Amino acid sequence: MARDGASDGVGRYAAGALVSAVGVLVLGVPLYDIYDDASDLGWSLASSVAENAVLIALALTLVFGGVWLTRLDWETERVLSVAGRTVVGTGVVAVLIGWVVLSQLRAMGELKPFIIALDAVLIGSVTVFLVALYSVKSSVQARELAAERGTADRLATRHSHAARLGGVEDREAAAEVALDAVADAVAPDAVRIVVDDAVLDERTTAAAGFGDGPDDADDRNADEGTAVDRSVPIDGRGRIDLVGGPFDDHEVETVELLAVHLERTLTRLDDERAIREERERLEFINRTIRHNLLNDMQVVSSRLEVVDEGDEPFERHADVIRSRLDGMASFIITMKEYMNTLLEDGHDLRAVPLAPLVREQVADAREGHPDAEIEIAELPSVSVRADDLLEPVVENLLTNAVVHNDRQTPHVEVSATRDPAAGTVSLCVRDDGPGIDDERKETVFERGERGRNSGGTGFGLYLVRDAVEAYGGTVDIRDNEPRGTVVEVTLPVAEA
């Protein structure tokens, strides 16, 4: 390695010396002309120097250029290339000028300096043209090579980000990969990903930011946000907002391709989540069916065993057996409707009159819980968009209001109000029980969630929320005054 370094140093200095030597050689031309003017023509030294000043300056440029060349931080090969081209170029010009001089001497026996000078201009023009042509061609080739390398790098980067998107397992990770990809592709001041009318994620510099509204494409700078320079759609699901343009076409194309990969990833994640939730629902339903039916069957079986022993008359147990069998039949029907709702893609909803259905369910609840007081306030004559699951929805609301009540005589009030402007009707079930703690109000409708001291499966209120949301409605729970709970179900009114 030491010898290689020393060899490079020798080559560098040799190249510089060669260029300086060419400069010294061509310097001899104006110096000789000065001498000839002073000795043969009797010109003053100042006049002759002034005449050759430009040539002297050009020659000195080569002399000092050789020294400067050795001090450049270029590779030795490049320094040698400059020296070689200088020598070759000088030689070619010298040969051409020499050929002109010899041609004049042979043809005419004398020299015509004016013609020689014009020929030198011609030779210089052609030389400059060739040098310029070579330089521009080299520049074009270098640019094309750089563009090809840039394209290859961009393709590699795109492939890398697409591969990363293919391996993410949640939307947050997908957004993080997408933000990294956009930063690599266009380096914006700020980028925001909006999916399904919500901001999935965003990234900004200290000097840039977005407004508060996820759908406000004209967010303003400073405290109010930064104007969006470019929005790239995500195939109808959202967009990628960019700040800090202008952006080149290839940059926008990269973001557009990224948007395609992001949309496919989000679709995959949605499908995987739907399958996972479907599996969890089915497992939960399986547990619920086993729990409810097995419990009722055990009660019926134990009662039949007592009757079979003949110690007590059958009539004492007939009502219990009949009630349990009716409960199992009702439960099976409810589960059938619920399974149909799960398995049908976009199952049909119909107009269901609300008031008759509520009155029927209240009558059944009064019969099943004679110790409870269930009142009905005035109900609007309106139909809602629902299906057969609306009956068990109302039934579960009434049952929970009575069963989980700690009063000796539970009091339940059912009412409904219509909001014509919103096109909805709200059904409220109020009880005077112990109420629900604030920390449980958000979880009481979750799958498998059961109340304190409850022997249930947590299916009833889960069914309520799942069915109501499938109708396009909402469920809200809050405290009743002075005691108890209010469950409010808001449903869309069926169009006439």
Side-chain angles (χ1 to χ4, degrees), residues 138-355:
S138 298
S139 176
V140 170
Q141 290 176 340
R143 234 180 0 253
E144 291 176 348
L145 181 59
E148 291 176 358
R149 289 177 178 174
T151 301
D153 291 341
R154 287 194 297 272
L155 289 175
T157 301
R158 292 175 184 176
H159 177 75
S160 173
H161 290 308
R164 289 180 61 195
L165 280 173
V168 299
E169 298 181 356
D170 55 65
R171 291 162 68 97
E172 290 73 19
E176 187 68 22
V177 172
L179 290 177
D180 291 340
V182 173
D184 290 342
V186 300
D189 294 336
V191 57
R192 175 177 60 189
I193 300 176
V194 180
V195 175
D196 300 333
D197 297 327
V199 176
L200 185 59
D201 204 348
E202 66 181 34
R203 186 178 298 173
T204 63
T205 62
F210 292 102
D212 295 332
D215 293 324
D216 186 4
D218 293 324
D219 298 332
R220 296 304 173 209
N221 202 359
D223 295 335
E224 300 180 2
T226 299
V228 174
D229 295 309
R230 189 68 180 259
S231 287
V232 176
I234 308 177
D235 195 22
R237 293 199 58 173
R239 65 184 186 273
I240 300 177
D241 293 334
L242 303 174
V243 173
F247 303 105
D248 295 336
D249 290 342
H250 73 83
E251 292 177 331
V252 176
E253 290 174 359
T254 299
V255 178
E256 289 174 343
L257 181 60
L258 170 66
V260 173
H261 287 296
L262 179 59
E263 190 277 332
R264 292 175 180 173
T265 298
L266 293 174
T267 300
R268 172 180 62 82
L269 293 175
D270 290 344
D271 292 342
E272 291 175 353
R273 184 179 66 253
I275 293 173
R276 185 168 57 251
E277 291 178 351
E278 192 84 359
R279 184 181 297 112
E280 291 174 354
R281 279 177 171 178
L282 293 175
E283 291 175 354
F284 174 67
I285 290 171
N286 183 35
R287 291 197 306 270
T288 303
I289 292 174
R290 292 202 313 268
H291 178 276
N292 283 26
L293 294 184
L294 287 177
N295 279 354
D296 287 341
M297 291 175 66
Q298 287 174 357
V299 172
V300 172
S301 177
S302 63
R303 294 283 176 165
L304 289 175
E305 288 177 2
V306 173
V307 172
D308 188 54
E309 291 175 357
D311 294 338
E312 298 180 7
F314 177 76
E315 288 76 10
R316 293 188 55 184
H317 307 284
D319 289 342
V320 175
I321 294 174
R322 188 178 297 108
S323 174
R324 292 287 178 161
L325 290 175
D326 290 344
M328 284 190 285
S330 176
F331 178 72
I332 290 173
I333 292 174
T334 299
M335 296 306 297
K336 175 186 175 183
E337 295 297 334
Y338 184 63
M339 290 298 295
N340 288 338
T341 300
L342 288 180
L343 296 177
E344 292 178 8
D345 294 331
H347 65 287
D348 294 331
L349 301 180
R350 65 179 188 277
V352 179
L354 182 63

Side-chain angles (χ1 to χ4, degrees), residues 276-479:
R276 185 168 57 251
E277 291 178 351
E278 192 84 359
R279 184 181 297 112
E280 291 174 354
R281 279 177 171 178
L282 293 175
E283 291 175 354
F284 174 67
I285 290 171
N286 183 35
R287 291 197 306 270
T288 303
I289 292 174
R290 292 202 313 268
H291 178 276
N292 283 26
L293 294 184
L294 287 177
N295 279 354
D296 287 341
M297 291 175 66
Q298 287 174 357
V299 172
V300 172
S301 177
S302 63
R303 294 283 176 165
L304 289 175
E305 288 177 2
V306 173
V307 172
D308 188 54
E309 291 175 357
D311 294 338
E312 298 180 7
F314 177 76
E315 288 76 10
R316 293 188 55 184
H317 307 284
D319 289 342
V320 175
I321 294 174
R322 188 178 297 108
S323 174
R324 292 287 178 161
L325 290 175
D326 290 344
M328 284 190 285
S330 176
F331 178 72
I332 290 173
I333 292 174
T334 299
M335 296 306 297
K336 175 186 175 183
E337 295 297 334
Y338 184 63
M339 290 298 295
N340 288 338
T341 300
L342 288 180
L343 296 177
E344 292 178 8
D345 294 331
H347 65 287
D348 294 331
L349 301 180
R350 65 179 188 277
V352 179
L354 182 63
L357 184 146
V358 171
R359 292 191 179 95
E360 180 182 351
Q361 294 304 314
V362 168
D364 291 344
R366 287 169 176 168
E367 182 179 350
H369 304 282
D371 56 335
E373 296 179 353
I374 305 177
E375 298 180 1
I376 303 178
E378 184 177 352
L379 300 175
S381 179
V382 64
S383 295
V384 296
R385 293 180 64 252
D387 55 18
D388 292 338
L389 278 179
L390 186 58
E391 289 186 5
V393 164
V394 177
E395 176 190 358
N396 275 287
L397 293 177
L398 296 172
T399 300
N400 275 277
V402 174
V403 171
H404 299 293
N405 200 307
D406 58 352
R407 301 278 192 178
Q408 186 174 0
T409 302
H411 182 80
V412 179
E413 180 182 340
V414 181
S415 63
T417 56
R418 183 177 182 180
D419 184 348
T424 60
V425 61
S426 296
L427 176 68
C428 290
V429 177
R430 295 176 172 85
D431 65 61
D432 60 348
I436 299 175
D437 297 336
D438 290 339
E439 60 269 16
R440 293 190 62 243
K441 285 186 174 68
E442 296 296 326
T443 62
V444 70
F445 292 101
E446 291 182 0
R447 184 187 301 123
E449 181 69 18
R450 294 180 293 181
R452 292 186 178 91
N453 303 319
S454 172
T457 61
F459 178 72
L461 290 181
Y462 168 72
L463 169 65
V464 170
R465 187 185 67 175
D466 209 32
V468 169
E469 289 182 351
Y471 300 155
T474 59
V475 182
D476 179 61
I477 189 167
R478 59 182 183 273
D479 293 332

